[in-house]
Every structure is written in structure tokens, then in C-alpha cells.
Amino acid sequence: MGDTIKISVKDLKYSVGAHKILNGVTLDVPKGKMIGVIGPNGSGKTTTLKHIYRAIDPKDGVVYLNGKDVHSYSYRDSAREMTVMKQEHNTDFSYSIYEMVMMGRIPYRKMFEADTKEDRDIVVRSLKYVGMDKMLERPYSELSGGEKQRVMIARSIAQETEIFILDEPTNHLDVHYQWAIMDLIRKIGKTVISVFHELNLASNYCDEIYVVDNGCIVAHGTPEKIITKRMLSEVFKIDADIIKTDNGATHILYNKAIV
Amino acid sequence: MSLGDETAISLGIDARKVKQRTIIAVSFLTGLIVSAAGLVGFVGFIIPHIIRSLIGSDHRKSLPMCFIGGGIFLLWMDILARTIMAPQELAIGIFTAFCGGPFFAWLLYRNNGGRM
């Protein structure tokens, strides 16, 4: 396991009380690829992601980061390797756009250290990349949903990690932003693992997809191979047709729910 | 940590450990102070609230101001305690409670949408 596999999850199990959420999940995230994780609600996809970005401590099964057990990393070190984007925050504390993105520099600073000039340059550059560099002092809370998410992307960029972990950051946004933000993520070109609810987004942007059902991986491969009428009917209980457009993209045409 | 524990962890901050250590340190400090000065309630409750509504949540500004504001508040409470019934000295805790109780009630009233 060298530099080519950035994240590796081996046989991850997790239960809350008697309820088994993960029943042996195994997946790999190769460098530079966008990996999608899809599955019905409650299948365990977000829980798997939480084990990767350490919101949950992996106790049964191993999560490898750059070939090493994630337990061997301090939170600070793993924060230099991976960044997480979730739904935008609603916080009672009023932070400016600049301050929000500056938080991405926390893993690089020692306790009580002030912002350096280099930090400031990185923050401004990150905001420029997402087109939010005007009015740095504006309160984050005043932004629209799409703008907030772009600031979150800037923060992840400022964190200067190779790995981006996306925990459905766009599923509450307008369809325009769902696609525009995935374009931006793809343009950044990092190693990405992302949970998707919108399957057409996953099939369009991902190099590989893992399908999770009842805490297990039931399918893995490229979108062309994985997104099939049969898989959608068995796992998602939906009757749909698949069409492939000229540029090779796979699109799902939903017909009806299967009772 | 103001953005949630999970976000804190993703930025490299061990939120649980920070909270644990802060609680232990604060308890220790509070214990020291109480053993030296006696029970003086409500100060930690009122002062940061007021300072925050005046200055904002930026800890770099609000922390020193709470420091100063708390000191001024207590000095005045102490003056009242020693002069109101001179030469007898009343417990300072009475006066801070006298301020704190109504303040607490006012906060509840306000958060309840202006209803009792």
C-alpha cells in the first residue's frame, strides 16, 4: 500500500446498541480519483465517512490513511491530510468570510499562534479560486446557501489537504449549485470521496462508485458498470431506465417506486 | 469548537479532550477562588453575557473586557456590601445574587418571546 491508495477501509463494523449499522465495509480511495458512495437512507454511507474523517473512532475494523492506521495520526496530523465538507453550518457565533476560511489553517498553527502573512495569502487565494474574494469581512451568516458552500470549499482548499471528504454538502441547495459545486470540486482535482443522494450527480462525476446497503458494500465499479436498472431496483427499490449520452455520461430516468 | 465537535476534529482539534481539560481547569480555579473569597454567585453568569452583547463574541476582545468588567462589578458590589449597613459588613454574595436573580429572570422573559 503505497502512495497510490490514499484511504483504505478494511472490514469496518459498527453498532449502536443492538443495531448493526456497518457490517464489514471495505473500500479504497485511489489518489486523484473521485469516489462516490451511494445507498438508501440508513445504509451506513455517512457512518462510513464519519469513521474516515474520525468523527467516530474506528474500533472494529481498520481505517488506513496513506497506508498507516488512522489511530497513529494525531487529529492535527490527519487534519493536514484530509478535509471535510458538510452541509453549511448555522452558527450563533458571527464569523466573517475571512475568519471562516482562516479556520482551515488551524492544523498548521501551534496553540495561541496568530495568523501569519502566509496564512492570509492562502486564505485570500482560496477565496479567489471560488470567486468569493470580494468583501472578506462580510458576516458568513448573511450569505446565501450556495455562497456559504463556496466559502466552505475555500476553507477546505486553505486546509491544503490532498483528500477531500464530502458528506452531502449540496443536497439542500438549488440544483444549479449541486452541479456547479461538483464542477468546482472536479476542477480542484484532489482525491475525493463523497456521499451522494442525487444519483445522477454521482454517475456524472465519479470515477468509481461504491453501493452500500444494510452496512455492506454490495457493488463497486465505474458508473457505467454499476448504475444499472437491476441495481436501482434491488437496492433503491426504484424502477428506472438508464441512458448513456454521447459524451459517455450515464443518466438515470426515474419511472416509479417499486412497492 | 463553536462549529461543532465533528468540524473541530476535522480541523485537528480534539474537542473532547479540550472540553475535559477546560472543565477540570475551570473547576480547579473556581475552587481556589471560592476557598479564598467565599461564595460569590452570578458574576460568571452576568458579566460575560453583558460584555458579549456590547463587544461581540471575539474572545480576543471579550476575554480581557470580561476580566476588567468583572473586577469593576465586584468592586462596586463590595463597596455596597460594606457601606449600606456600616459599620456592619454584609456578605457580598447577597448583592451579586440581588443583581443575578432579576437578570436571570429578564433573560428567561426575553427568550420566552417577551412573555412571563
Side-chain angles (χ1 to χ4, degrees):
Chain A
M1 213 177 307
D3 269 349
T4 47
I5 302 286
K6 299 300 285 180
I7 294 179
S8 186
V9 177
K10 290 266 182 285
D11 202 28
L12 196 60
K13 298 196 176 75
Y14 181 66
S15 310
V16 176
H19 183 211
K20 288 218 195 94
I21 301 183
L22 296 182
N23 279 316
V25 170
T26 295
L27 57 84
D28 287 324
V29 184
K31 180 166 177 179
K33 301 269 192 227
M34 180 154 350
I35 305 297
V37 182
I38 63 176
N41 272 335
S43 54
K45 37 185 210 304
T46 301
T47 307
T48 304
L49 236 63
K50 286 194 183 195
H51 278 89
I52 296 177
Y53 67 82
R54 310 187 75 181
I56 302 178
D57 185 37
K59 291 207 168 67
D60 191 350
V62 196
V63 174
Y64 292 98
L65 177 58
N66 292 331
K68 292 193 292 176
D69 189 332
V70 83
H71 285 121
S72 68
Y73 287 83
S74 67
Y75 283 129
R76 196 150 149 262
D77 287 338
S78 58
R80 298 188 191 197
E81 303 292 330
M82 43 189 190
T83 175
V84 183
M85 274 180 58
K86 300 194 282 182
Q87 273 189 31
E88 92 251 359
H89 310 281
N90 284 316
T91 169
D92 293 324
F93 288 85
S94 54
Y95 291 117
S96 68
I97 294 179
Y98 173 79
E99 286 169 336
M100 271 301 203
V101 180
M102 183 54 89
M103 290 203 206
R105 301 301 303 158
I106 291 177
Y108 298 95
R109 289 199 260 140
K110 299 193 257 294
M111 176 111 59
F112 296 128
E113 211 182 316
D115 311 342
T116 67
K117 168 120 190 3
E118 191 198 345
D119 287 336
R120 191 184 161 92
D121 288 342
I122 292 175
V123 167
V124 173
R125 243 187 303 128
S126 307
L127 280 167
K128 213 177 260 187
Y129 192 89
V130 303
M132 295 287 305
D133 55 314
K134 307 282 181 292
M135 297 197 285
L136 298 174
E137 302 302 320
R138 236 179 108 190
Y140 175 77
S141 48
E142 280 179 12
L143 301 177
S144 72
E147 289 174 327
K148 278 183 181 169
Q149 213 52 261
R150 278 194 285 164
V151 172
M152 286 295 110
I153 295 180
R155 189 179 80 192
S156 288
I157 295 175
Q159 209 173 329
E160 289 191 323
T161 58
E162 170 57 33
I163 302 168
F164 272 53
I165 301 177
L166 272 51
D167 194 347
E168 293 186 80
T170 61
N171 69 338
H172 60 298
L173 297 177
D174 282 348
V175 69
H176 163 82
Y177 286 113
Q178 290 189 355
W179 292 80
I181 282 176
M182 285 318 295
D183 272 337
L184 191 49
I185 301 281
R186 181 158 62 184
K187 191 170 105 172
I188 299 175
K190 304 277 192 182
T191 306
V192 179
I193 174 165
S194 174
V195 162
F196 289 93
H197 256 132
E198 168 54 64
L199 302 181
N200 275 316
L201 270 182
S203 69
N204 259 273
Y205 286 99
C206 295
D207 299 305
E208 292 169 37
I209 294 184
Y210 284 85
V211 184
V212 189
D213 196 12
N214 283 324
C216 302
I217 305 286
V218 297
H220 165 224
T222 59
E224 302 82 62
K225 216 178 77 180
I226 292 302
I227 308 281
T228 61
K229 191 179 171 80
R230 181 163 150 205
M231 186 279 288
L232 290 169
S233 113
E234 281 176 2
V235 177
F236 291 90
K237 311 223 181 333
I238 202 101
D239 176 52
D241 293 305
I242 313 292
I243 60 163
K244 304 224 196 296
T245 57
D246 295 331
N247 59 350
T250 307
H251 284 272
I252 304 169
L253 299 173
Y254 296 98
N255 295 329
K256 64 182 192 340
I258 298 176
V259 191
Chain B
M1 292 192 319
S2 62
L3 299 177
D5 284 2
E6 287 184 4
T7 305
I9 288 181
S10 78
L11 287 171
I13 309 282
D14 189 345
R16 222 191 56 216
K17 215 162 62 170
V18 172
K19 283 190 219 177
Q20 263 173 6
R21 290 184 178 167
T22 308
I23 289 180
I24 291 177
V26 169
S27 307
F28 183 65
L29 280 173
T30 311
L32 274 178
I33 295 173
V34 170
S35 66
L39 280 175
V40 186
F42 291 102
V43 184
F45 184 65
I46 305 174
I47 303 295
H49 229 101
I50 297 179
I51 298 284
R52 241 202 316 235
S53 64
L54 290 173
I55 296 191
S57 305
D58 187 350
H59 286 305
R60 285 169 297 186
K61 294 187 221 136
S62 66
L63 199 61
M65 287 315 293
C66 281
F67 194 64
I68 296 173
I72 294 176
F73 176 66
L74 278 173
L75 277 175
W76 281 106
M77 293 293 109
D78 186 47
I79 290 174
L80 281 177
R82 283 192 283 142
T83 57
I84 277 199
M85 272 178 70
Q88 209 184 14
E89 182 173 337
L90 296 172
I92 192 176
I94 298 178
F95 293 88
T96 57
F98 209 69
C99 294
F103 184 77
F104 190 61
W106 173 73
L107 266 187
L108 284 177
Y109 174 76
R110 204 184 56 165
N111 284 344
N112 218 23
R115 296 183 304 275
M116 294 306 276

